Amino acid sequence: FDRKLKPSNAVGNPEVHGFSDGGEQAFGGVIFLRWELDDGSYRCVAVMVKPFVAPLKKKSIPRLELLGCLALSRMYDTCRKALEFVNMKDFKRIFWIDSTTVLSWVRTPPRQFKPFVSSRVAEIQETIGTEDFRYVRSKSNPADGLTRGIEPAELANWLAGPSFLKFPEAQWPEFHEDLRLSNSVCQETMKEKKSSFSSNCNKEVNEVNVCLATEEKKENPILCHLMAACSSFSKVRRTLAYILRFTQNARKINMKKGTITAQELQISEKYLFKLCQDSLDLSRFEEKLLPRTDQDGLQRAHGRLEEIRSLSEEMRNPIILPRNHPLVKLLLQHLHDKRRHCGYKSLMHEARKRFWIIGLRSYLNEIMKNWDNARIQSVLTEEFSCDFKWLWNVPHASHQNGVVESLIKSVRQAFNVTCKSQAFTAEQWSTFLAEISYVINSGPLYPSSDGVWESPPVTPNDILLGQHNSPPQPTPEDRINPRDLLRCTQNRIVDFWKCWLKHFAPNLLPRNKWFRKRDNVQVGDLVLELDPKHKRCQWKMALITEVHPGSDGLVRKVRMKTQTGEYDRPIHKLCLIATREELDAD
């Protein structure tokens, strides 16, 4: 580093040029002295260079840029005192920043901001004022090297200052600063401003956002009629497909008959999305989504996923859809049913495989609150003719949950026995947890008809899924290849079933003390046989045909009738589902 700050052929006093920058890893500033030489050329000499490591507590980029500007103001104060010490006064100064957000903050009264920005803006204004700040692009800002790093071979050129300072000021490039606040700048400003001043920034956003439409666009009458007449996305799509076929047949263009084909459904779906996009003002999201029209006339988003060829084209360029459109709500309900009533996060990921719905996260939180409750109510009332009401537990009193807590405990114990020290892949875990969830929720709750064996009983799966479809049972094999991941997962599921049934079965029986009597089972009672030898998800219900009381009058052995025959069983292997009086009353 050359410690000589003044060239031998310099003329007059120097100009002070300060540059600052901030990034995720560092921030800092650099000050150059710009000397005019006797031959009319200019030379820059680096006086002070100070980089700082970014704070451990993560801060936004505008705040880090502000910290860099604050460091520059403190560096200039030190440099000014040194120059005055050698009798250099009345020199020109210019401070360059590549952040329009920080420039707007520095030129704003600090009392409008919250404490973090307010205190730092006030110190900057007291130290160097606001008149000498200018905007510079990042590629021409030497302080950018403090945050990104510099190659050793480029260090000598970097110390010579930016190239445009070597020319007269009339030949400097014009770094156009957009004086109008952009969306991103004003959003950051609104975050840092006090609530009493945020309304003024909202007015600026409304003035700058020319994309805000003055009049709402009218909905397409065909789409409005379909929304009023159809209650599901599948029905809307199929109905429109028939309408499009009718118009083609009426014009005698490619006439078709029979059922709707998959290609016609795709054309109908794309036409629906085009009608839905008519109510969307894409200019508001032009910077973030980069919307472009594809060959089908649909607006698709483009961004950083463009070059990832491993993703599907629909995921790289999803279809942009508005938030509060009735078609979008039907589409989300359709995906929700397709994903077997998953949570809002899973539904959000499923939707973003093909679509980019504006404000999807908050919209799902609003509309999914009553979906599952309404669906469970419809299943119980329509399919099983049951009336129900919700009973909520007292907060912080899980011990009052009774049987549910016992069930949770049994599942944890079974998981601990079968899954401890087991290395599963993501696909194995997905298969394992899906089938275990079905196993746990496959236990019978009540018979669904008068004939006990004519139809399967009501289970939690029927209420949650709306249907009774048992997963395929694996065929037993004498020799299993340990490399076969599917068979390995199936073995874990079988082990879980046996272990969980061992922990779960006792919880089905009341925990009475020996001195408390319990009503004997009677002929005609409906019971559930507990046998670990049964295949998973297989629950055998039976009717009591005979009872065998002991000398003390207590029944410990019964004869029961199942769908396949009659057997003698001890009562500790049975669980009472419904008494004879309850069955007769139904």
Side-chain angles (χ1 to χ4, degrees):
F1 292 92
D2 188 4
R3 299 179 62 87
K4 187 178 181 180
L5 300 181
K6 183 178 179 179
S8 57
N9 56 343
V11 179
N13 288 335
E15 295 179 359
V16 177
H17 290 263
F19 298 83
S20 70
D21 193 24
E24 293 182 352
Q25 299 180 351
F27 63 92
V30 55
I31 295 180
F32 293 94
L33 295 181
R34 179 174 179 264
W35 297 89
E36 183 180 0
L37 305 181
D38 53 7
D39 58 357
S41 61
Y42 295 88
R43 181 181 175 184
C44 292
V45 179
V47 181
M48 298 184 69
V49 181
K50 279 196 175 183
F52 298 88
V53 178
L56 292 177
K57 186 177 180 181
K58 189 174 181 180
K59 299 186 182 300
S60 64
I61 296 297
R63 284 194 172 191
L64 292 170
E65 295 271 8
L66 181 62
L67 291 176
C69 184
L70 178 63
L72 176 62
S73 66
R74 294 173 178 174
M75 292 166 57
Y76 170 75
D77 189 52
T78 303
C79 181
R80 177 184 58 81
K81 294 177 181 178
L83 292 176
E84 290 178 353
F85 180 77
V86 293
N87 297 322
M88 290 187 183
K89 299 180 180 179
D90 300 327
F91 45 80
K92 184 178 180 180
R93 60 182 190 176
I94 301 177
F95 305 102
W96 304 86
I97 305 177
D98 60 4
S99 172
T100 55
T101 304
V102 176
L103 278 177
S104 67
W105 290 355
V106 171
R107 296 167 180 170
T108 305
R111 61 185 180 87
Q112 297 186 11
F113 295 106
K114 295 178 181 178
F116 183 91
V117 176
S118 176
S119 59
R120 288 158 178 81
V121 169
E123 183 177 348
I124 293 172
Q125 292 179 354
E126 291 175 1
T127 305
I128 56 180
T130 62
E131 297 81 8
D132 299 324
F133 280 97
R134 295 190 187 181
Y135 174 75
V136 63
R137 296 192 182 277
S138 295
K139 62 181 181 180
S140 301
N141 185 5
D144 190 64
L146 302 179
T147 61
R148 301 177 185 270
I150 306 172
E151 294 290 338
E154 301 176 358
L155 186 58
N157 294 331
W158 184 85
L159 289 173
S163 58
F164 70 90
L165 290 183
K166 298 177 182 179
F167 301 96
E169 186 173 357
Q171 300 180 15
W172 289 356
E174 296 183 1
F175 301 110
H176 294 288
E177 175 193 348
D178 191 0
L179 297 178
R180 301 174 304 167
L181 292 175
S182 63
N183 271 340
S184 58
V185 173
C186 198
Q187 285 176 2
E188 293 293 339
T189 305
M190 282 172 28
K191 291 179 183 178
E192 301 295 346
K193 278 194 173 184
K194 297 178 181 178
S195 58
S196 57
F197 296 97
S198 60
S199 59
N200 296 331
C201 193
N202 287 329
K203 293 180 181 179
E204 293 176 356
V205 173
N206 294 333
E207 293 175 359
V208 174
N209 251 341
V210 294
C211 58
L212 294 177
T214 56
E215 295 181 0
E216 295 183 357
K217 297 181 180 180
K218 295 183 179 180
E219 291 287 345
N220 188 284
I222 298 178
L223 187 59
C224 292
H225 181 75
L226 289 174
M227 293 296 100
C230 304
S231 59
S232 66
F233 179 78
S234 300
K235 191 173 182 180
V236 173
R237 180 177 54 185
R238 185 171 295 273
T239 303
L240 183 59
Y242 277 111
I243 294 174
L244 295 177
R245 173 185 284 189
F246 173 78
T247 55
Q248 287 185 355
N249 292 342
R251 298 172 182 174
K252 297 183 180 181
I253 302 175
N254 193 14
M255 300 180 65
K256 296 181 181 180
K257 294 182 180 180
T259 58
I260 295 293
T261 62
Q263 184 180 4
E264 289 179 295
L265 289 177
Q266 291 179 358
I267 296 174
S268 172
E269 185 177 276
K270 292 179 180 178
Y271 190 77
L272 282 172
F273 295 147
K274 287 173 65 177
L275 296 178
C276 185
Q277 287 180 343
D278 290 341
S279 61
L280 184 63
D281 188 3
L282 293 176
S283 59
R284 298 177 57 187
F285 316 100
E286 187 172 359
E287 295 182 356
K288 291 185 177 181
L289 301 181
L290 302 176
R292 299 175 190 169
T293 306
D294 64 0
Q295 58 184 1
D296 297 318
L298 292 172
Q299 295 288 340
R300 293 182 177 271
H302 293 72
R304 291 177 291 181
L305 301 181
E306 194 76 25
E307 302 301 328
I308 306 179
R309 300 301 176 185
S310 59
L311 300 179
S312 63
E313 184 178 357
E314 290 184 335
M315 184 175 292
R316 284 185 280 126
N317 306 122
I319 300 173
I320 305 175
L321 294 177
R323 168 181 174 173
N324 295 320
H325 199 281
L327 179 66
V328 175
K329 185 175 182 180
L330 293 181
L331 174 63
L332 292 175
Q333 287 179 341
H334 173 73
L335 296 177
H336 189 234
D337 295 338
K338 182 180 177 181
R339 291 283 296 174
R340 295 189 178 274
H341 307 274
C342 57
Y344 87 95
K345 289 186 178 180
S346 298
L347 180 58
M348 183 176 64
H349 297 320
E350 180 70 19
R352 286 186 174 173
K353 290 180 180 179
R354 293 187 57 199
F355 312 101
W356 187 271
I357 302 173
I358 307 299
L360 177 61
R361 188 187 302 273
S362 58
Y363 185 53
L364 285 179
N365 284 331
E366 293 176 6
I367 64 177
M368 286 188 65
K369 292 180 180 178
N370 300 321
W371 278 3
D372 291 330
N373 292 349
R375 185 180 172 280
I376 293 174
Q377 185 174 2
S378 65
V379 170
L380 290 175
T381 55
E382 296 177 7
E383 298 188 16
F384 303 112
S385 301
C386 298
D387 296 328
F388 78 101
K389 64 178 181 178
W390 294 104
L391 297 177
W392 305 101
N393 291 333
V394 180
H396 309 291
S398 58
H399 61 279
Q400 297 182 4
N401 214 9
V403 178
V404 176
E405 291 298 325
S406 300
L407 178 61
I408 295 174
K409 180 181 179 181
S410 66
V411 172
R412 286 178 177 175
Q413 291 174 337
F415 266 123
N416 187 42
V417 173
T418 58
C419 301
K420 193 174 183 179
S421 302
Q422 295 292 333
F424 279 179
T425 63
E427 292 185 359
Q428 284 181 297
W429 269 118
S430 178
T431 304
F432 182 82
L433 295 177
E435 294 210 28
I436 291 304
S437 300
Y438 192 92
V439 166
I440 295 172
N441 293 317
S442 63
L445 297 177
Y446 206 76
S448 59
S449 62
D450 295 336
V452 179
W453 299 292
E454 292 180 0
S455 59
V458 181
T459 66
N461 281 330
D462 298 329
I463 300 175
L464 296 174
L465 305 179
Q467 54 186 353
H468 187 83
N469 292 328
S470 301
Q473 297 288 338
T475 56
E477 295 183 3
D478 296 334
R479 300 179 62 184
I480 299 178
N481 186 355
R483 296 181 180 179
D484 191 342
L485 297 181
L486 178 60
R487 293 300 178 188
C488 180
T489 305
Q490 296 292 346
N491 287 342
R492 294 290 176 268
I493 298 171
V494 173
D495 294 341
F496 178 89
W497 164 257
K498 293 179 180 179
C499 183
W500 177 67
L501 193 64
K502 180 176 67 176
H503 293 290
F504 172 64
N507 295 328
L508 296 177
L509 301 175
R511 296 281 183 154
N512 294 328
K513 294 292 183 178
W514 57 86
F515 54 82
R516 296 178 60 185
K517 292 185 178 181
R518 187 182 63 183
D519 294 339
N520 289 326
V521 294
Q522 303 177 5
V523 176
D525 289 351
L526 180 65
V527 295
L528 176 67
E529 181 185 4
L530 304 176
D531 190 352
K533 296 181 180 180
H534 293 162
K535 294 182 179 179
R536 66 173 188 261
C537 302
Q538 183 179 4
W539 305 85
K540 285 190 176 181
M541 294 198 301
L543 288 173
I544 304 297
T545 57
E546 296 182 18
V547 295
H548 303 282
S551 58
D552 53 359
L554 300 178
V555 177
R556 296 181 176 86
K557 176 183 176 182
V558 298
R559 175 171 286 271
M560 63 181 191
K561 180 181 179 182
T562 65
Q563 193 173 5
T564 57
E566 294 189 3
Y567 310 94
D568 291 335
R569 291 290 184 268
I571 61 169
H572 69 273
K573 291 291 184 180
L574 305 176
C575 177
L576 183 63
I577 298 295
T579 63
R580 181 179 59 185
E581 291 79 8
E582 292 175 345
L583 295 176
D584 294 341
D586 292 341

